[in-house]
Structures are given as C-alpha cells and as structure tokens.
Amino acid sequence: DLFRRRLARHFVQRRRLDVTQGEWQDEGGTHVFPKHESSEPTYFLAGPHQAFHDSVVNYCAGIVEGAGSATQSRRLAFWGTLALMRCVGSSTAAALSALRNRAKSQAAMLEDQLLDEDDESETPDLEPEIGLTSSPASDGVSDQIDPALAALVRQAEDLMKAPDPKLEKILSLLRPLLDSGSNPVIFCRYLATADFLGNRLKRDLAKRTGLRIEVITGELTPEERRVRVEGMSGEPQRLLVATDCLSEGINLQELFDTVIHYDLSWNPTRHQQREGRVDRYGQPAPIVRSALLYSPDSAIDGAVLDVILRKAAKIREATGVTVPLPEKQSAIAGALMNAVLLH
C-alpha cells in the first residue's frame, strides 16, 4: 500500500471518455472526435429458423447432460456445444460448416476460438471443429457421425434455401444508411458468414450505382487486406464485410463511418476494437454510427448479452474502462451454458 500511494502521486490515467467528452478541439474550435450514435436493432426467428435453433439447443443440452460429472468430459462438452451454438447464432452457413467439421477438436483450441482470444493461426475466423461425435475409433477420430448430428446437418442444408431473417434485417438497416451516403463496415465472426453475407449483399444491392462491396477475411494476408481496403478509396460509396482480422491493424476512418456488428463478439473489448477502426482521430464525418444486431428469440444471443456484454457495459459506464475477460474461462463457459439452458 505504501508503494501504491507513492506511485499514485505521479501516475495519471486518461481514459477515452476524458478525451471524447472533454474540451478537445482543433484550431477551428470544433471537436476532433465525432459524435458516436449507437443502436441495438433486433431480428426475430420464425418457422424453420426457430426450429433449427431449438433443435441445436436441445441437442447441446443432451450432450452436456450426458457428459457426466468428470471435469474433463464436462469441460469438453461445454466448449464443444458453445462453439456449435455460436456458429448457429452467426449464420446458417457457419453452422453448417461447423457441423460438417466434425471430430479432431481439442478443448484448448475451442476456448481460444470461442472467447476471441488472440489466435496466431493463418485463418482464425474458420468455423471450429466442434468434435461432437460418437463411436470414436482407435486413433481418436470418429468414423461414424452421431445420428442426431447428421439430422442437424440435413436441417441446416434445407435452411440454406429458406429466407434468412437476419439477412433481411441487415438489408433493412443498410438501405437507409446507404441512401443517406454512409459507408458501412459489417463485422462477422466466421469466414463462412462473411462469404455468405458478402455474396447475398452483392446480389441484393447490385442495382445501386457507385456502390462497391468487398469481403475481407483471414484467408487474405495482411498485405492483401491492406491493398483491398485501399483499392476502395476511389469509389463514390463503399460497403465492407469483414471478419475480426480487420478489428486491429488497419485504420478505416478515412473510408468508412458506420460499424455494424453482424455477430455478437464474446469478448467485450472486441466491440471497441471494431468500432475503434472507424471512430478515431481523423474521422471526417461529424457522426459515427454503430449497430449491435441480435435476436431476442435466440438463447445464444440472450446468454452472451446477459452474461458478458451487459455486465461489461455497466462497468464501462461506471468507470470508463472496458474490462477484459476473467482468466478462468471455464467459469464463463458454465455461466453461458446455464443461461442458454435456462432460456
């Protein structure tokens, strides 16, 4: 305590809140940071999408209940089922990819991918190999898919042909934004979701003249990402779909003024990193907008909002600081799973 008090006499902490809400102005007397307007638009599940969501939740509940009391088995069940449910919350395309990527997963890998920790792999936005299979062979890899898992694959394949309420909602958000001249960045968690969304937006917004749409994922090298972003600079209007490979490193404030979180990040600091690519010094627009898209019908979205994001937001409002995730991530997994099952 003595050393803390001595250090406190010389230590100054300046938070972003102190800068953006203070009297920081340029020579012309205007604030050097734009005003930030945030919203939380919702979309609703119905019909086959609600049925698929419920089937996955029921399947995951059965996996957790069948894991027994052994710590390692229960840990694997928690991470595996949460990884699957996270893909389901992202898009049907990501869910289908994860369901097909069966076997071979390890709990440590799932922890890193699930909670958005730093991932040094070449494509951190790939859908996880959820490993929820039965009848393991001698080498630890299943030769036969669990019948319940196979049924979910078929259900997801059929769902890919149905109208997507999440896609319809993003289109309803984008049209007035584009009409007003905005240049949005849409952040997704998974490569499959980004590719699916980019293809659909190019199709549905094809008639808009002067609008260039690009998709950037972890499949591109850092230099290729930079070149693709810079290649949009001469366009009248821009729309970028990206995974979290762009949430750090490349500043976007000169080309974009709106951030849409298509997928909820399970790390509260990731949202700030995404928005910080656009809402930063040098942003010419007077207003920066951000939108957090979620479904109140989704047990997965509800669990993440209540267990992680809402609590982090209250702490940020009170202190001006975004807290990191707790070190004991197994406790987070348990809290998320309990919230899903209770929902």
Side-chain angles (χ1 to χ4, degrees):
D1 288 341
L2 174 62
F3 289 109
R4 287 177 181 272
R5 287 195 296 270
R6 291 175 61 184
L7 176 62
R9 299 171 188 169
H10 309 280
F11 181 77
V12 177
Q13 181 183 21
R14 187 172 63 209
R15 307 166 300 174
R16 180 174 172 80
L17 227 62
D18 301 327
V19 175
T20 56
Q21 295 185 1
E23 296 302 320
W24 280 51
Q25 299 176 345
D26 61 16
E27 295 180 355
T30 58
H31 285 280
V32 297
F33 289 96
K35 180 182 179 181
H36 190 142
E37 294 182 353
S38 59
S39 62
E40 295 186 356
T42 58
Y43 66 97
F44 299 95
L45 301 176
H49 284 272
Q50 185 69 65
F52 178 63
H53 172 276
D54 294 343
S55 295
V56 171
V57 170
N58 290 336
Y59 174 75
C60 290
I63 292 291
V64 172
E65 291 171 1
S69 58
T71 302
Q72 182 65 13
S73 297
R74 198 162 185 82
R75 183 183 180 87
L76 280 167
F78 271 138
W79 290 118
T81 52
L82 284 174
L84 172 58
M85 286 191 288
R86 183 175 193 186
C87 289
V88 171
S90 177
S91 69
T92 306
L96 182 56
S97 179
L99 288 166
R100 287 171 171 169
N101 288 343
R102 60 186 180 87
K104 295 191 278 186
S105 62
Q106 296 179 352
M109 180 195 71
L110 289 172
E111 288 185 24
D112 289 344
Q113 292 191 355
L114 191 66
L115 293 173
D116 290 325
E117 294 301 293
D118 292 334
D119 194 330
E120 297 180 354
S121 65
E122 293 183 359
T123 51
D125 41 15
L126 281 175
E127 300 70 44
E129 296 175 337
I130 56 174
L132 303 179
T133 58
S134 61
S135 305
S138 58
D139 62 355
V141 178
S142 173
D143 290 326
Q144 190 173 11
I145 301 178
D146 180 347
L149 192 59
L152 289 177
V153 170
R154 292 191 296 272
Q155 199 171 356
E157 289 173 341
D158 292 338
L159 203 60
M160 288 291 292
K161 307 168 189 175
D164 189 322
K166 192 174 184 182
L167 174 65
E168 291 174 357
K169 182 63 179 182
I170 202 74
L171 284 168
S172 71
L173 289 174
L174 285 173
R175 288 188 177 107
L177 283 171
L178 294 173
D179 288 342
S180 68
S182 294
N183 297 285
V185 183
I186 305 174
F187 278 103
C188 310
R189 177 62 181 88
Y190 294 114
L191 191 153
T193 301
D195 285 341
F196 163 79
L197 182 59
N199 290 332
R200 292 298 181 90
L201 292 180
K202 289 177 181 178
R203 182 196 69 183
D204 294 337
L205 300 175
K207 294 182 179 180
R208 287 185 173 265
T209 57
L211 174 64
R212 178 165 172 184
I213 302 175
E214 289 284 359
V215 178
I216 296 179
T217 69
E219 287 187 318
L220 301 176
T221 66
E223 182 58 26
E224 288 171 335
R225 298 168 202 166
R226 186 178 301 277
V227 169
R228 188 164 294 190
V229 169
E230 292 175 352
M232 304 179 74
S233 60
E235 303 297 333
Q237 195 167 29
R238 297 162 293 278
L239 171 58
L240 178 61
V241 178
T243 62
D244 284 316
C245 70
L246 274 192
S247 65
E248 297 180 81
I250 300 178
N251 293 335
L252 304 173
Q253 74 272 21
E254 294 181 358
L255 299 179
F256 303 93
D257 52 33
T258 302
V259 173
I260 299 177
H261 303 280
Y262 192 76
D263 294 336
L264 298 180
S265 174
W266 291 24
N267 185 334
T269 59
R270 183 67 73 185
H271 284 198
Q272 278 201 330
Q273 289 171 336
R274 292 171 173 178
E275 294 172 9
R277 297 300 92 205
V278 171
D279 184 10
R280 59 192 304 110
Y281 183 80
Q283 169 60 253
I287 298 176
V288 166
R289 295 177 176 85
S290 64
L292 186 71
L293 184 63
Y294 74 96
S295 173
D297 298 328
S298 167
I300 301 101
D301 284 359
V304 175
L305 282 168
D306 293 339
V307 174
I308 299 178
L309 299 182
R310 297 289 190 223
K311 291 180 180 178
K314 289 181 180 179
I315 295 173
R316 187 173 65 250
E317 289 173 4
T319 66
V321 177
T322 299
V323 295
L325 286 170
E327 292 183 2
K328 292 185 178 180
Q329 295 179 0
S330 57
I332 300 174
L336 284 172
M337 182 56 68
N338 288 334
V340 169
L341 297 181
L342 285 173
H343 183 97

